[in-house]
Amino acid sequence: MGGVTSSIAAKFAFFPPNPPSYHLEFDESCNRFHIPEIPRRDGVDVLKLQTRRGQEIVAIHISNPKATATILYSHGNATDLGQIFELFLELSSRLRVNLMGYDYSGYGQSTGKPSEQNTYADIEAAYSCLKDKYGVREEDVILYGQSVGSGPTLDLASRLPYLRAVVLHSAILSGLRVLYQVKRTYWFDIYKNIDKIGLVTCPVLVIHGTADEVVHWSHGKQLWELSKEKYEPLWLNGGNHCNLEIYPEYLRHLKKFVSVVGKSKGGRNSSKRTKTDADDQNRSEPIELENTVKPHIISDLPELSRISLDSRIEKSKKIDKPEKSRMSTDHVDRYRRRKGLIW
């Protein structure tokens, strides 16, 4: 029964671009993978990573020589690395961070099929690569989850007590709650973020548009309220599900957040870090959260938008039209203009 439920949920939850926006080639002259649709750049690595569930996923790592942190970015539903690469470049440059993004199983040129459990294995593979290949410490990692990417982000964050920070961008309370107004967690639901957010011990920044017609603003609001270490949220007035990057406040707020958590990491981590290296190795083993997290009952949840599964996203009417951001809108349009339900 569980497998059947997961298969049905996957059909509702995942919309990988078809065909993928990029190809993957191996250059024997330099013994490296590259994406022909993306110009080659110094400091950009294209990787294939093996997951614990037997899939091979594609990841991109962007180095910034001035970086003091590394963002591990879990992207939204109807995009892949080829479409979001330019945004990664801008975030790495403007925020002065290293950045790794990856495609879920069944997305882009990653093998397998999309599923909730596969995305958990996918983000673990990306995180392990950061530690093993690039020598990144847990306390220097910022997990960034956009839309459906908030699922694997919070699953991993709930098991890493020394993370520097978490960013939740248009995040969901759970898969079922995107579609229906429910007041309890059901066993067949997917991405039970509402049950995991309370296990996250690092600072959490929530970003959400007030006119989001795909994932109602109340999702972000409640995730922020349930966070243990809240950071000032960013509610973008009139912002919808697909355009938050073009608001000037988006980049300003992110830059401030990255700076603040960077300055405060020393005291916070030194007070927590009492375990030995052996303890850290044991702690890094995957933990099955489903057996440890108790269902969280929603109280006084605002009305959620009921969106049919075959609906199409329309541009939201903005209350106040934002001034144009310094961040280019061209790449946003390219990877955001998708048909279908794209939480």
Side-chain angles (χ1 to χ4, degrees), residues 16-188:
N18 188 16
S21 71
Y22 69 94
H23 299 84
L24 190 66
E25 297 179 355
F26 186 76
D27 189 339
E28 294 184 355
S29 65
C30 58
N31 199 35
R32 292 163 64 108
F33 287 101
H34 75 99
I35 296 174
E37 292 84 359
I38 295 175
R40 299 195 191 192
R41 297 170 179 261
D42 292 337
V44 175
D45 295 332
V46 179
L47 310 162
K48 288 185 76 173
L49 309 177
Q50 188 81 27
T51 79
R52 60 178 169 81
R53 291 174 66 87
Q55 310 302 335
E56 284 190 326
I57 63 170
V58 181
I60 292 178
H61 182 272
I62 302 171
S63 298
N64 186 316
K66 298 180 180 179
T68 58
T70 296
I71 287 180
L72 177 52
Y73 194 114
S74 299
H75 63 65
N77 198 350
T79 190
D80 61 24
L81 291 178
Q83 296 171 321
I84 203 171
F85 176 70
E86 291 180 51
L87 176 63
F88 287 171
L89 286 177
E90 292 210 49
L91 289 177
S92 176
S93 175
R94 303 282 181 90
L95 302 179
R96 294 187 177 183
V97 295
N98 301 320
L99 189 147
M100 173 174 275
Y102 64 99
D103 266 339
Y104 311 120
S105 298
Y107 277 68
Q109 297 300 326
S110 296
T111 64
K113 294 183 179 180
S115 73
E116 178 187 16
Q117 295 304 318
N118 274 348
T119 61
Y120 296 158
D122 298 339
I123 194 173
E124 287 175 8
Y127 176 69
S128 294
C129 178
L130 286 178
K131 291 194 302 179
D132 300 339
K133 181 177 177 62
Y134 296 99
V136 179
R137 301 177 304 171
E138 180 181 325
E139 56 265 37
D140 293 328
V141 174
I142 299 173
L143 296 185
Y144 190 119
Q146 185 238 333
S147 192
V148 74
S150 61
T153 290
L154 283 177
D155 183 76
L156 182 61
S158 68
R159 296 178 281 132
L160 298 177
Y162 305 127
L163 280 174
R164 182 172 297 190
V166 167
V167 179
L168 299 177
H169 174 154
S170 303
I172 65 174
L173 285 167
S174 74
L176 188 61
R177 287 174 172 87
V178 175
L179 303 173
Y180 302 104
Q181 184 179 5
V182 296
K183 295 187 176 182
R184 57 166 295 185
T185 297
Y186 292 91
W187 65 270
F188 53 83

Side-chain angles (χ1 to χ4, degrees), residues 91 95 144 205-208 231-239 243-257 318 320-327:
L91 289 177
L95 302 179
Y144 190 119
L205 166 62
V206 177
I207 303 173
H208 218 109
Y231 184 82
E232 178 186 358
L234 178 60
W235 311 127
L236 287 169
N237 193 25
N243 71 347
L244 302 189
E245 296 90 344
I246 69 174
Y247 283 72
E249 302 94 320
Y250 168 80
L251 195 57
R252 287 201 298 263
H253 207 79
L254 264 180
K255 289 179 71 173
K256 180 181 177 183
F257 178 66
K318 300 179 180 61
D320 295 309
K321 187 176 180 180
E323 61 176 299
K324 189 172 182 179
S325 170
R326 289 194 305 153
M327 181 177 290

